[in-house]
Amino acid sequence: MMMRCGWSVAAVVAVVVMVGVMVASPVAGELARVEHPTKEDGSLAVLVVGDWGRKGQYNQTLVATQMGVIGEELAADFILSTGDNFYNDGLTGDNDTASFQESFTNIYTADSLQKPWYIVLGNHDYTGDALAQQSPAIRAVDSRWTSINKSFIVDSDIAEFFLVDTVPFVQKYWNESKFDWRQVAPRDTYLSTLLTDLGDAMSQSNATWKIVVGHHTISSGCEHGNTTDLVAMLLPVLKTYGADMYINGHDHCLQRITSIDSPLEFITSGGGSRAWAGKFKQTSDKLEFIYDGQGFLSMQLTMAEASFAFYDVTGAVLYSWQLTKSTSTN
């Protein structure tokens, strides 16, 4: 597999080959990039789950079982995690392999889930050792775990997935001493650099589908509602550079919302374990579907079409929809 044009050997800090996936750290000022090929026919199948890491409790094992079933049916290429991977306070360090295995390795055991898992962090991950999940020591325990940086890109040719570290955007967290801000503080510098790098990467992308993934909501009708800090800072970048969708967790529900002033879709997949909060918020965008329970999302992508489905803990399809694109332009 060839490196993307413009990369030099000196620019590559680490390269890991796993199931046909290339992981590379770029030169300073660029987001790290993972290259994950499509199937031979040019299509891609992805599962998305968030807010799951509870050592099998709160129906986590039931969700995992159905992910395995659907993953086999669709021949899933990889899995995206929208964060809050380990409750209640992340991992204690990169030697906390017991918690890692009890909530991840020992739960997602289906053959179809033995694929790369691309990871963003949630607020609960940040109240533990926020650096542990990027540690080679954790990856050595389970090679599926792919968290090469807190923000990075998964490049699959027809789609680019821009994984964004949203926790530092939330101002109120900075008033709480339990958050691990190593390699993040000062906040303004970190966010400015991240938004610049994200904008640059999105502007240079030729992918048919530009998909941004973060933990926190931008627009939501579930318990947490809209995240005002992301509305103010991240949303303008997504609109400016033509993101097709923003996929998040944080709210423990499944929902689809369409923007009232752009083509952008807001998709929540945060039903990996504890759910049923029974609390709802208003959003000015259009609420297309909402389910206040456990489950997960599937995506099937081609150059011309994207098909989505939400599933519950029995594997039943709760809601599905399609988006289309002209094959003559990106």
Side-chain angles (χ1 to χ4, degrees):
M1 184 179 301
M2 297 300 294
M3 294 296 294
R4 175 176 294 274
C5 293
W7 291 55
S8 65
V9 174
V12 180
V13 177
V15 175
V16 180
V17 177
M18 177 192 66
V19 198
V21 178
M22 179 169 286
V23 181
S25 296
V27 296
E30 296 179 359
L31 293 177
R33 183 177 295 267
V34 176
E35 295 194 5
H36 192 122
T38 61
K39 295 179 173 65
E40 290 185 2
D41 65 0
S43 68
L44 196 67
V46 181
L47 302 183
V48 186
V49 67
D51 303 85
W52 43 267
R54 296 185 185 272
K55 300 180 180 180
Q57 298 179 342
Y58 296 98
N59 286 344
Q60 184 190 359
T61 52
L62 295 182
V63 174
T65 297
Q66 295 306 323
M67 287 177 64
V69 172
I70 302 304
E72 183 175 358
E73 289 181 4
L74 303 182
D77 294 287
F78 58 83
I79 298 90
L80 293 171
S81 172
T82 58
D84 278 358
N85 308 313
F86 302 99
Y87 286 94
N88 279 320
D89 295 303
L91 298 177
T92 60
D94 63 9
N95 60 348
D96 189 7
T97 56
S99 294
F100 177 80
Q101 291 175 306
E102 288 168 356
S103 282
F104 179 65
T105 303
N106 298 345
I107 303 297
Y108 302 100
T109 57
D111 288 345
S112 65
L113 303 181
Q114 306 306 304
K115 304 290 177 64
W117 285 58
Y118 299 121
I119 308 297
V120 295
L121 300 186
N123 47 296
H124 284 278
D125 300 308
Y126 256 92
T127 58
D129 184 333
L131 303 181
Q133 293 184 44
Q134 290 90 56
S135 171
I138 290 297
R139 184 174 172 80
V141 175
D142 193 322
S143 62
R144 293 178 292 172
W145 191 262
T146 310
S147 180
I148 61 172
N149 210 334
K150 289 179 179 176
S151 297
F152 62 99
I153 300 167
V154 180
D155 184 349
S156 292
D157 191 27
I158 62 169
E160 285 194 344
F161 300 82
F162 302 88
L163 278 63
V164 177
D165 180 23
T166 62
V167 179
F169 284 87
V170 183
Q171 179 69 63
K172 68 179 182 180
Y173 294 156
W174 289 81
N175 298 322
E176 301 181 31
S177 60
K178 64 180 181 178
F179 281 81
D180 180 6
W181 297 125
R182 289 175 298 159
Q183 298 184 15
V184 175
R187 174 177 179 264
D188 289 350
T189 301
Y190 183 83
L191 295 183
S192 176
T193 300
L194 173 54
L195 289 171
T196 297
D197 291 347
L198 176 63
D200 288 346
M202 292 184 68
S203 69
Q204 295 165 18
S205 174
N206 293 316
T208 300
W209 302 99
K210 297 180 183 180
I211 302 170
V212 180
V213 182
H215 177 65
H216 290 83
T217 61
I218 291 180
S219 183
S220 173
C222 292
E223 179 181 7
H224 290 107
N226 298 356
T227 305
T228 56
D229 299 296
L230 292 187
V231 172
M233 290 183 280
L234 181 60
L235 181 57
V237 176
L238 272 54
K239 289 182 175 179
T240 297
Y241 296 108
D244 294 287
M245 64 202 75
Y246 175 74
I247 302 177
N248 60 271
H250 196 50
D251 267 332
H252 298 182
C253 65
L254 306 173
Q255 65 181 336
R256 176 199 178 198
I257 293 173
T258 53
S259 171
I260 60 171
D261 60 5
S262 77
L264 188 60
E265 300 225 347
F266 303 101
I267 303 170
T268 298
S269 184
S273 58
R274 187 175 183 177
W276 305 110
K279 299 177 182 179
F280 303 95
K281 296 286 178 67
Q282 293 292 321
T283 179
S284 61
D285 295 299
K286 184 180 179 183
L287 182 62
E288 305 281 357
F289 172 80
I290 190 169
Y291 176 70
D292 187 36
Q294 290 117 339
F296 61 98
L297 171 73
S298 73
M299 296 189 292
Q300 295 175 272
L301 305 173
T302 68
M303 286 285 289
E305 184 176 84
S307 300
F308 305 84
F310 285 126
Y311 304 84
D312 68 9
V313 295
T314 71
V317 175
L318 297 167
Y319 176 76
S320 62
W321 74 103
Q322 291 78 38
L323 302 174
T324 58
K325 287 242 181 144
S326 168
T327 56
S328 60
T329 58
N330 287 329

